[in-house]
Amino acid sequence: MKVWSESFQDGAAIPGEFAFAVIDPKSHIALSSNRNPHLAWSDVPAAAKSLVLVCHDPDVPSRGDDVNQEGRAVPAELLRVDFYHWTLVDIPLTVSSIAAGQLSNGVTTRGKAGPSIPGDPLHGARHGINDYTGWFAGDGDMRGDYFGYDGPCPPWNDALLHHYVFTLYALDVAALQVSGQFTGSDVRNALQGHVLAQASITGTYTLNPALK
Protein backbone atom coordinates (compact mmCIF):
# COMPACT_ATOMS: atom_id res chain seq x y z
CA MET A 1 0.00 0.00 0.00
CA LYS A 2 1.27 3.48 -0.86
CA VAL A 3 0.42 6.93 0.53
CA TRP A 4 1.58 10.27 -0.87
CA SER A 5 0.77 13.96 -0.78
CA GLU A 6 0.90 16.83 -3.25
CA SER A 7 1.03 19.21 -0.27
CA PHE A 8 4.44 18.12 1.10
CA GLN A 9 7.13 15.56 0.42
CA ASP A 10 7.79 12.64 2.73
CA GLY A 11 10.38 13.77 5.29
CA ALA A 12 10.13 17.44 4.29
CA ALA A 13 8.60 20.49 5.95
CA ILE A 14 4.83 20.96 5.92
CA PRO A 15 3.89 24.38 4.45
CA GLY A 16 2.32 26.87 6.84
CA GLU A 17 -1.03 26.81 5.05
CA PHE A 18 -1.57 23.29 6.42
CA ALA A 19 -0.72 24.31 10.00
CA PHE A 20 -2.80 25.66 12.85
CA ALA A 21 -0.27 28.46 13.38
CA VAL A 22 2.72 30.12 11.71
CA ILE A 23 5.61 32.17 13.02
CA ASP A 24 4.88 35.81 13.84
CA PRO A 25 7.93 38.02 14.48
CA LYS A 26 6.15 40.10 17.14
CA SER A 27 3.86 37.67 18.97
CA HIS A 28 5.77 34.42 18.23
CA ILE A 29 2.78 32.80 16.49
CA ALA A 30 -0.30 33.72 14.47
CA LEU A 31 -3.22 31.54 13.44
CA SER A 32 -2.86 30.06 9.96
CA SER A 33 -5.22 28.78 7.26
CA ASN A 34 -5.31 25.32 8.90
CA ARG A 35 -6.12 23.44 5.69
CA ASN A 36 -5.89 19.68 5.66
CA PRO A 37 -3.17 18.53 3.23
CA HIS A 38 -3.83 16.54 0.09
CA LEU A 39 -3.45 12.79 0.60
CA ALA A 40 -3.83 9.93 -1.87
CA TRP A 41 -3.26 6.20 -1.75
CA SER A 42 -3.12 3.07 -3.88
CA ASP A 43 -2.52 -0.69 -3.75
CA VAL A 44 -5.09 -1.31 -1.01
CA PRO A 45 -5.35 -5.06 -0.26
CA ALA A 46 -8.19 -6.80 -2.07
CA ALA A 47 -9.51 -8.17 1.23
CA ALA A 48 -9.84 -4.74 2.83
CA LYS A 49 -13.30 -3.52 3.83
CA SER A 50 -12.54 0.02 5.02
CA LEU A 51 -9.72 2.47 5.66
CA VAL A 52 -8.64 4.55 8.66
CA LEU A 53 -6.44 7.64 8.65
CA VAL A 54 -4.52 8.83 11.72
CA CYS A 55 -2.21 11.84 12.00
CA HIS A 56 -0.15 12.18 15.16
CA ASP A 57 2.86 14.12 16.43
CA PRO A 58 5.13 11.90 18.59
CA ASP A 59 7.30 14.85 19.66
CA VAL A 60 5.01 16.71 22.07
CA PRO A 61 6.60 17.66 25.44
CA SER A 62 5.54 15.38 28.28
CA ARG A 63 5.59 18.39 30.64
CA GLY A 64 4.35 21.90 30.00
CA ASP A 65 6.56 23.78 32.47
CA ASP A 66 8.61 25.55 29.78
CA VAL A 67 6.13 25.51 26.91
CA ASN A 68 5.77 28.94 25.26
CA GLN A 69 7.44 30.70 28.20
CA GLU A 70 9.53 33.81 27.55
CA GLY A 71 13.21 33.38 28.30
CA ARG A 72 12.92 29.60 28.51
CA ALA A 73 13.21 26.69 26.10
CA VAL A 74 11.71 23.22 25.92
CA PRO A 75 14.82 20.99 25.97
CA ALA A 76 15.19 18.53 23.11
CA GLU A 77 16.01 15.71 25.53
CA LEU A 78 12.67 16.00 27.37
CA LEU A 79 10.49 12.87 27.23
CA ARG A 80 7.97 13.17 24.40
CA VAL A 81 4.40 11.88 23.99
CA ASP A 82 1.83 11.52 21.20
CA PHE A 83 -0.57 14.28 20.19
CA TYR A 84 -3.33 13.34 17.75
CA HIS A 85 -4.16 15.88 15.05
CA TRP A 86 -6.61 13.83 12.98
CA THR A 87 -8.54 10.57 13.11
CA LEU A 88 -10.81 9.58 10.25
CA VAL A 89 -12.47 6.15 10.30
CA ASP A 90 -14.82 4.11 8.07
CA ILE A 91 -13.35 5.54 4.87
CA PRO A 92 -14.96 3.50 2.07
CA LEU A 93 -12.77 1.76 -0.50
CA THR A 94 -14.31 3.92 -3.23
CA VAL A 95 -12.34 6.88 -1.81
CA SER A 96 -8.69 7.05 -2.91
CA SER A 97 -7.79 10.63 -2.08
CA ILE A 98 -8.62 13.66 0.05
CA ALA A 99 -8.19 17.07 -1.56
CA ALA A 100 -6.26 19.86 0.14
CA GLY A 101 -8.67 21.91 2.22
CA GLN A 102 -11.56 19.50 1.62
CA LEU A 103 -12.18 18.71 5.31
CA SER A 104 -10.54 21.67 7.06
CA ASN A 105 -10.09 25.20 5.79
CA GLY A 106 -9.41 27.68 8.60
CA VAL A 107 -9.27 27.58 12.38
CA THR A 108 -12.73 26.95 13.81
CA THR A 109 -13.08 28.43 17.30
CA ARG A 110 -14.38 25.75 19.70
CA GLY A 111 -13.79 23.10 17.05
CA LYS A 112 -15.42 21.66 13.97
CA ALA A 113 -18.54 19.52 14.20
CA GLY A 114 -18.45 15.72 14.21
CA PRO A 115 -18.29 12.79 14.16
CA SER A 116 -20.26 12.83 10.90
CA ILE A 117 -18.83 15.13 8.24
CA PRO A 118 -21.14 17.90 6.97
CA GLY A 119 -22.27 17.10 3.44
CA ASP A 120 -20.89 13.54 3.78
CA PRO A 121 -18.14 14.05 1.16
CA LEU A 122 -16.48 10.74 2.07
CA HIS A 123 -19.66 8.63 2.02
CA GLY A 124 -20.06 7.70 5.67
CA ALA A 125 -16.56 8.28 7.05
CA ARG A 126 -16.45 9.64 10.62
CA HIS A 127 -14.14 12.06 12.39
CA GLY A 128 -12.82 11.57 15.91
CA ILE A 129 -11.82 14.40 18.21
CA ASN A 130 -8.21 15.56 18.11
CA ASP A 131 -6.06 16.52 21.07
CA TYR A 132 -6.74 20.24 20.78
CA THR A 133 -9.91 19.30 22.65
CA GLY A 134 -7.85 18.71 25.78
CA TRP A 135 -5.32 21.44 25.06
CA PHE A 136 -7.99 24.16 24.97
CA ALA A 137 -10.14 22.72 27.78
CA GLY A 138 -9.17 25.50 30.17
CA ASP A 139 -9.46 28.33 27.63
CA GLY A 140 -12.81 30.12 27.86
CA ASP A 141 -12.56 31.43 24.31
CA MET A 142 -11.33 28.29 22.56
CA ARG A 143 -12.57 25.27 24.51
CA GLY A 144 -14.80 22.81 22.71
CA ASP A 145 -14.83 19.49 20.87
CA TYR A 146 -12.28 19.62 18.07
CA PHE A 147 -13.37 17.02 15.53
CA GLY A 148 -11.40 16.30 12.38
CA TYR A 149 -8.14 17.88 11.28
CA ASP A 150 -6.34 20.68 13.06
CA GLY A 151 -2.76 21.17 11.95
CA PRO A 152 0.63 21.70 13.59
CA CYS A 153 1.19 24.21 16.36
CA PRO A 154 4.26 23.03 18.31
CA PRO A 155 5.67 25.20 21.12
CA TRP A 156 7.45 28.23 19.66
CA ASN A 157 10.35 27.68 22.07
CA ASP A 158 10.80 23.94 21.47
CA ALA A 159 14.38 22.92 20.69
CA LEU A 160 13.10 19.82 18.90
CA LEU A 161 11.76 19.68 15.35
CA HIS A 162 8.31 18.04 15.36
CA HIS A 163 7.25 15.22 13.05
CA TYR A 164 3.68 14.67 11.81
CA VAL A 165 2.97 11.10 10.79
CA PHE A 166 -0.03 10.47 8.51
CA THR A 167 -0.81 6.73 8.58
CA LEU A 168 -3.41 4.96 6.47
CA TYR A 169 -4.65 1.57 7.67
CA ALA A 170 -6.51 -1.00 5.57
CA LEU A 171 -8.91 -2.99 7.76
CA ASP A 172 -10.78 -6.28 7.59
CA VAL A 173 -13.94 -4.62 8.98
CA ALA A 174 -16.34 -2.20 7.30
CA ALA A 175 -16.78 -0.08 10.45
CA LEU A 176 -14.35 0.47 13.30
CA GLN A 177 -15.82 -0.17 16.75
CA VAL A 178 -15.56 3.37 18.12
CA SER A 179 -18.39 5.80 18.76
CA GLY A 180 -19.24 9.27 19.98
CA GLN A 181 -16.28 11.51 20.79
CA PHE A 182 -13.65 8.89 20.11
CA THR A 183 -9.98 9.82 20.46
CA GLY A 184 -6.77 8.86 18.73
CA SER A 185 -6.02 6.38 21.50
CA ASP A 186 -9.49 4.87 21.08
CA VAL A 187 -8.82 4.38 17.38
CA ARG A 188 -5.42 2.79 17.90
CA ASN A 189 -6.89 0.38 20.44
CA ALA A 190 -9.81 -0.53 18.15
CA LEU A 191 -7.43 -1.20 15.25
CA GLN A 192 -5.77 -4.09 17.05
CA GLY A 193 -6.28 -7.36 15.19
CA HIS A 194 -7.94 -5.73 12.16
CA VAL A 195 -5.05 -4.22 10.18
CA LEU A 196 -4.30 -5.87 6.83
CA ALA A 197 -1.76 -3.26 5.69
CA GLN A 198 -0.59 0.24 6.54
CA ALA A 199 1.48 3.01 4.99
CA SER A 200 2.71 6.36 6.26
CA ILE A 201 4.02 9.72 5.13
CA THR A 202 5.76 12.12 7.52
CA GLY A 203 6.13 15.88 7.44
CA THR A 204 8.04 18.18 9.79
CA TYR A 205 7.11 21.53 11.34
CA THR A 206 8.45 24.09 13.78
CA LEU A 207 7.48 27.51 15.12
CA ASN A 208 10.97 28.08 16.52
CA PRO A 209 12.80 30.54 14.23
CA ALA A 210 16.11 29.07 15.37
CA LEU A 211 15.18 25.75 13.73
CA LYS A 212 13.98 27.19 10.43
Side-chain angles (χ1 to χ4, degrees):
M1 194 159 69
K2 300 175 183 177
V3 174
W4 67 93
S5 177
E6 296 174 355
S7 300
F8 64 94
Q9 296 296 311
D10 189 27
I14 296 172
E17 69 175 290
F18 304 110
F20 196 88
V22 291
I23 294 174
D24 184 278
K26 295 182 179 179
S27 59
H28 296 297
I29 67 171
L31 295 181
S32 188
S33 51
N34 197 40
R35 304 176 74 222
N36 69 270
H38 163 269
L39 292 169
W41 49 88
S42 65
D43 301 335
V44 175
K49 296 182 179 179
S50 70
L51 303 168
V52 165
L53 178 65
V54 175
C55 172
H56 80 288
D57 171 5
D59 299 318
V60 171
S62 58
R63 297 198 321 269
D65 314 44
D66 300 315
V67 169
N68 297 337
Q69 297 296 310
E70 294 286 355
R72 297 160 73 175
V74 179
E77 62 271 17
L78 180 68
L79 178 68
R80 304 296 169 139
V81 296
D82 290 334
F83 187 103
Y84 292 95
H85 284 265
W86 197 6
T87 55
L88 180 60
V89 307
D90 302 348
I91 305 170
L93 300 181
T94 53
V95 175
S96 60
S97 66
I98 298 172
Q102 181 179 7
L103 302 179
S104 179
N105 191 6
V107 172
T108 302
T109 303
R110 300 186 182 278
K112 292 183 283 296
S116 60
I117 303 171
D120 196 25
L122 300 185
H123 313 292
R126 296 178 290 147
H127 271 144
I129 57 171
N130 63 58
D131 284 343
Y132 282 107
T133 302
W135 177 256
F136 286 127
D139 187 321
D141 295 324
M142 295 292 287
R143 66 186 175 204
D145 296 323
Y146 283 73
F147 283 92
Y149 177 81
D150 284 299
C153 185
W156 53 258
N157 63 339
D158 200 337
L160 188 69
L161 181 69
H162 284 229
H163 296 77
Y164 298 83
V165 186
F166 295 78
T167 305
L168 187 75
Y169 300 89
L171 306 187
D172 63 1
V173 292
L176 194 66
Q177 292 303 300
V178 290
S179 60
Q181 297 178 345
F182 58 89
T183 66
S185 294
D186 293 334
V187 169
R188 275 191 165 170
N189 289 334
L191 287 174
Q192 299 302 312
H194 295 292
V195 178
L196 300 175
Q198 65 185 76
S200 299
I201 183 173
T202 300
T204 63
Y205 199 75
T206 183
L207 291 172
N208 185 342
L211 297 182
K212 279 288 187 180

